[in-house]
Amino acid sequence: MIKTAYNQPDSKGKFGRFGGKFVPETLITPLQQLEEAYLNLKDDKSFNDELNYLNIEFTGRPTPLTFAERLTKHFSKAKIYLKREDLCHTGAHKINNVLGQILLAKHLDKKRIIAETGAGQHGVATATACAKFGLQCFVYMGETDIERQKPNVFRMKLMGAEVVPVKSGSRTLKDATNEAIRDWVTNVEDTHYIIGSVVGPHPYPMIVRDFQSIIGKETRKQIIEKENRLPDYLLACVGGGSNAIGMFFPFINDVNVKKIGIEAAGKGLDTDEHCATLTKGRDGIFQGMKTYLLQDEAGQVREVYSISAGLDYPGVGPEHSFLKEENLVEYYSITDKEAIEAVKLLSRTEGIIPALETAHAIAYLKYLMPKTTEDEIVIINLSGRGDKDLNTIMEFL
């Protein structure tokens, strides 16, 4: 049980023993400038008025909290609600963070924007915002992900972004992030790096969490309006972990609200082809942060796998590592096969095709629901829509 009000990260950007700032000296000053700008603006009325305007008029917030009537009947246990981030403009929660960071970039007078992407949703959100504000946009993406996310690659290019293919390593999100960091080190004077999840060096995990917390803030208000009480369970998928932190953070001091994050078990935890970082990893330093990592026996970050491009990452946000060790959030994993079955279940009960990332959270219902009662409430963060994954789903079925 949490003993005092949650107040993370500390003044050094640490979540307990996780987080921090492990970067080349070149990036220390830009990170300090970013932190200073964010702390000055986060409570500034004109900044928040502009962000609120964009959230309402451009993104389409607040997103609905929808009672899933037929999915609830399927399990005949607790009531299930869906937080509909899939209805955001660009099709996922990623736009929440991007709009906030674009305003930060404007304040820092940075004209060139770079980003990394795996599933493509963060790349699409960044390309969209750059088009709206007339900024140069370069999106790093692994060749494997470019192949399995063709519709999103086309959307980015259509909006004027340059998609930079990454051919190193496993040619997925990890490698795209490495290349984006190299670009940033080289061009830091005029470039802002919009990191898409709660990963990387401080202050990024804090900034992304705060911008994504609009998900949990809206959820809290909406469930009280609909049920006059808080939920019993919050459920979200975890790759880097931004949609999960966004949902969990406004409930972090509510000890009676059980928070559950779901990782990708890929082809099974008894193989090396998974991304279950919090389940099978151990702590190490990676891409500017200390966090749980999947490593080989020599301590090298190893290649990982998931059917979901957005979960295909060997690390996790440092705050999730802290929340796991403090027993404030529980983490479990779901295989590719179980995620595909969940895509079919939600499609046929609610008429909603979820993203493969989100399908991992939905798949966990078969383990959670038998433990619930009819007077309890479960809320799932539906972080993105599944249009982008149809080619992958068709190949699997």
Side-chain angles (χ1 to χ4, degrees), residues 150-167:
K150 288 179 181 175
N152 275 341
V153 173
F154 180 76
R155 292 165 74 191
M156 285 183 259
K157 291 180 176 178
L158 190 62
M159 287 181 284
E162 181 175 331
V163 179
V164 184
V166 176
K167 303 177 181 179

Side-chain angles (χ1 to χ4, degrees), residues 50-51 53-55 58 95 98-107 110-113 125-136 159 194:
E50 187 172 7
L51 183 57
Y53 174 82
L54 291 168
N55 283 333
F58 193 64
I95 191 72
V98 167
L99 289 176
Q101 288 207 47
I102 282 285
L103 296 187
L104 274 175
K106 279 179 54 184
H107 181 82
K110 299 291 177 73
K111 309 293 187 188
R112 181 176 180 269
I113 302 296
T126 303
T128 302
C130 285
K132 180 170 179 60
F133 285 92
L135 298 170
Q136 270 190 303
M159 287 181 284
I194 299 185

Side-chain angles (χ1 to χ4, degrees), residues 39 110 157 172-173 250 344:
L39 294 177
K110 299 291 177 73
K157 291 180 176 178
T172 58
L173 179 59
K344 292 193 287 186

Side-chain angles (χ1 to χ4, degrees), residues 301-373:
V301 175
R302 67 172 178 79
E303 303 299 335
V304 295
Y305 161 83
S306 170
I307 192 174
S308 168
L311 303 183
D312 201 347
Y313 186 66
V316 67
E319 191 164 13
H320 283 290
S321 298
F322 174 77
L323 293 171
K324 172 187 168 65
E325 291 207 344
E326 294 294 312
N327 295 313
L328 295 175
V329 178
E330 296 179 11
Y331 296 90
Y332 303 99
S333 60
I334 285 293
T335 66
D336 289 354
K337 185 177 179 181
E338 291 173 316
I340 290 289
E341 290 302 313
V343 169
K344 292 193 287 186
L345 174 64
L346 192 69
S347 299
R348 293 170 186 179
T349 55
E350 296 295 333
I352 299 170
I353 302 173
L356 279 171
E357 292 86 347
T358 310
H360 285 70
I362 296 162
Y364 187 70
L365 287 173
K366 69 178 181 180
Y367 299 110
L368 173 64
M369 296 307 289
K371 302 174 186 175
T372 67
T373 61

Side-chain angles (χ1 to χ4, degrees), residues 127-345:
T128 302
C130 285
K132 180 170 179 60
F133 285 92
L135 298 170
Q136 270 190 303
C137 181
F138 298 85
V139 180
Y140 288 86
M141 191 170 189
E143 282 192 331
T144 299
D145 292 335
I146 287 175
E147 179 62 28
R148 58 181 172 176
Q149 299 292 342
K150 288 179 181 175
N152 275 341
V153 173
F154 180 76
R155 292 165 74 191
M156 285 183 259
K157 291 180 176 178
L158 190 62
M159 287 181 284
E162 181 175 331
V163 179
V164 184
V166 176
K167 303 177 181 179
S168 58
S170 59
R171 298 174 297 156
T172 58
L173 179 59
K174 166 180 70 71
D175 312 292
T177 304
N178 287 337
E179 289 302 321
I181 291 172
R182 290 189 185 100
D183 181 319
W184 195 32
V185 171
T186 306
N187 300 292
V188 70
E189 290 299 320
D190 69 343
T191 298
H192 177 64
Y193 178 16
I194 299 185
I195 292 182
S197 192
V198 284
V199 299
H202 179 71
Y204 277 106
M206 173 182 70
I207 290 173
V208 179
R209 176 198 69 190
D210 289 354
F211 287 139
Q212 291 293 1
S213 292
I214 193 169
I215 302 170
K217 289 174 184 174
E218 286 181 6
T219 300
R220 189 182 186 90
K221 181 173 183 288
Q222 289 167 323
I223 197 63
I224 289 174
E225 289 173 351
K226 289 175 182 289
E227 298 283 354
N228 197 31
R229 52 167 292 204
L230 295 180
D232 300 282
Y233 299 92
L234 296 175
L235 199 53
C237 64
V238 176
S242 66
N243 93 89
I245 284 286
M247 171 64 91
F248 297 160
F249 187 63
F251 294 89
I252 208 72
N253 288 316
D254 298 302
V255 295
N256 293 325
V257 179
K258 195 169 183 177
K259 294 159 277 280
I260 302 172
I262 306 299
E263 301 186 303
K267 295 182 180 179
L269 296 181
D270 55 345
T271 74
D272 285 334
E273 294 184 271
H274 63 76
C275 303
T277 307
L278 289 163
T279 307
K280 301 288 283 188
R282 64 183 191 276
D283 57 300
I285 306 295
F286 181 57
Q287 293 179 341
M289 61 184 170
K290 183 176 184 180
T291 190
Y292 270 67
L293 298 172
L294 290 168
Q295 304 169 57
D296 62 20
E297 291 180 355
Q300 297 297 311
V301 175
R302 67 172 178 79
E303 303 299 335
V304 295
Y305 161 83
S306 170
I307 192 174
S308 168
L311 303 183
D312 201 347
Y313 186 66
V316 67
E319 191 164 13
H320 283 290
S321 298
F322 174 77
L323 293 171
K324 172 187 168 65
E325 291 207 344
E326 294 294 312
N327 295 313
L328 295 175
V329 178
E330 296 179 11
Y331 296 90
Y332 303 99
S333 60
I334 285 293
T335 66
D336 289 354
K337 185 177 179 181
E338 291 173 316
I340 290 289
E341 290 302 313
V343 169
K344 292 193 287 186
L345 174 64

